[in-house]
Amino acid sequence: MARTQRTPAAGDTHRRPQTYSKSGNPARAALARPTGQARTATLGDWVRAARIPTLAVSVAAVVLGTGASWVTVLPAQWHWIRAGLALIVAVALQIGVNFANDYSDGIRGTDVRRQGPTRLVGSGLAQPKSVLTVALVWFGIAGLAGLAITLITHHWWLLAVGAIAIAAAWFYTGGKRPYGYYALGEVAVFVFFGLVAVVGSAFIQGFGIGQQVWWVAVGAGLLAVSVLIANNLRDIDGDRIAGKRTLMTLIGRRASKVLFCICLLAPFAMIALVAVLIPGVWFVMFALLAAVPACVILTTAKHPSELVLAMKLASLTALIYGVGLGVLFAL
């Protein structure tokens, strides 16, 4: 039976007391709301839980893939409905996985010592079932949009891709053996928010994929990984205590900082490859104005808030990179 670590002082009703199991690991503190707790999740809390700034990763991937299709398919065409549906799939999946992580990490007690933005379940602001329901709704929206793409294109194997993407989103931190707890989160982010999102968006436009699409998809995937690295580096201490084995907890702070800079800067080498065919893409190098400060801030960070800023700059870099390349491809 779990025991309460401390009794809240007068006026300290906005958070739940932390509880621990007999083994000393964080228990499922979010499952029982203390009597008299006044603080409940506001609309702003729910919006923040969706992690809006990081959605730039999925938006950039779809715009990049859609624009890249113009240098692959001749004659080039815009299929706005397909592009819009692809955007809904990508964004809905990312929001869904964000709420699913909030739920799964919360009921495991992983978020008890979280240093970053407040989580709904881990802080006791919302009931776990409510957060789970929101996650499933977003997964449902992604599934319906994906089904619509399949019906329009008649490529039925896309249903399998969508099912795998939703399963990967859930089992990132959900289930008995979440792969996010075994240092595989970065691999999944690279695959689904890089290769699948970019190449998939390009494919549904004209059912063709050129090598330049794969090059920029690798770049988008690396940028998405950099965002996750900043997030997990911020939570490295709490994750170690909770037994969550992310790649950051395995390789340590110094190696994580080096990996962040590599993932954030390497995509610009992809621009050199693409520029052989499309010289105008050099304008995307302006994204370095966000990428370089992000590297400096993260490598010298002393406080979690600095890591949050680095993560936001990495997201901005991904947005400029993806949207910029996508537009230049289409011109």
Side-chain angles (χ1 to χ4, degrees):
M1 182 175 180
R3 61 184 177 82
T4 303
Q5 186 184 37
R6 68 176 180 86
T7 301
D12 187 18
T13 59
H14 66 291
R15 297 177 69 89
R16 293 183 180 174
Q18 296 177 354
T19 61
Y20 301 87
S21 62
K22 291 181 179 180
S23 63
N25 290 326
R28 298 183 175 184
L31 293 179
R33 187 180 298 277
T35 303
Q37 179 171 333
R39 177 79 160 91
T40 57
T42 64
L43 177 60
D45 292 323
W46 285 97
V47 172
R48 283 187 289 273
R51 304 180 217 176
I52 302 300
T54 65
L55 299 183
V57 170
S58 53
V59 172
V62 173
V63 174
L64 176 54
T66 302
S69 68
W70 273 53
V71 295
T72 300
V73 181
L74 294 175
Q77 298 181 33
W78 283 112
H79 295 283
W80 293 106
I81 294 179
R82 298 180 193 180
L85 289 171
L87 184 61
I88 292 173
V89 170
V91 173
L93 269 178
Q94 189 173 358
I95 295 176
V97 75
N98 288 342
F99 281 109
N101 292 350
D102 193 308
Y103 167 78
S104 297
D105 283 344
I107 64 173
R108 282 190 172 87
T110 305
D111 289 336
V112 168
R113 294 181 176 88
R114 180 177 174 82
Q115 298 185 50
T118 301
R119 293 285 189 92
L120 295 173
V121 175
S123 63
L125 295 178
Q127 292 291 342
K129 288 184 178 180
S130 299
V131 177
L132 176 59
T133 298
V134 172
L136 294 177
V137 167
W138 282 106
F139 287 149
I141 292 172
L144 290 174
L147 177 60
I149 291 174
T150 303
L151 293 174
I152 292 172
T153 62
H154 300 291
H155 284 273
W156 303 103
W157 55 269
L158 290 174
L159 291 176
V161 175
I164 292 172
I166 292 176
W170 171 254
F171 288 108
Y172 174 53
T173 56
K176 293 183 179 180
R177 294 183 179 276
Y179 65 85
Y181 281 58
Y182 295 91
L184 293 174
E186 286 76 14
V187 175
V189 165
F190 176 79
V191 171
F192 290 100
F193 288 98
L195 303 184
V196 174
V198 175
V199 176
S201 297
F203 177 81
I204 64 173
Q205 285 292 315
F207 313 130
I209 303 172
Q211 62 179 1
Q212 61 272 15
V213 176
W214 289 100
W215 292 340
V216 295
V218 169
L222 290 174
L223 290 172
V225 169
S226 72
V227 175
L228 181 60
I229 291 173
N231 178 80
N232 288 347
L233 187 58
R234 179 199 63 205
D235 297 334
I236 188 171
D237 292 330
D239 287 342
R240 281 173 172 164
I241 294 172
K244 184 177 181 179
R245 289 172 289 181
T246 64
L247 181 60
M248 308 307 90
T249 64
L250 295 181
I251 66 177
R253 294 181 184 276
R254 180 175 298 178
S256 297
K257 292 178 179 180
V258 172
L259 184 59
F260 173 84
C261 293
I262 291 174
C263 289
L264 196 58
L265 299 178
F268 293 95
M270 305 297 173
I271 294 178
L273 296 174
V274 177
V276 175
L277 300 175
I278 308 174
V281 300
W282 286 112
F283 284 105
V284 179
M285 298 297 285
F286 279 108
L288 286 170
L289 294 175
V292 172
C295 290
V296 174
I297 291 171
L298 184 132
T299 53
T300 60
K302 302 296 183 182
H303 191 272
S305 62
E306 295 173 284
L307 296 175
V308 172
L309 177 58
M311 181 174 64
K312 290 180 178 180
L313 286 173
S315 297
L316 178 60
T317 302
L319 184 64
I320 298 173
Y321 183 92
V323 173
L325 277 180
V327 171
L328 289 170
F329 277 137
L331 292 178

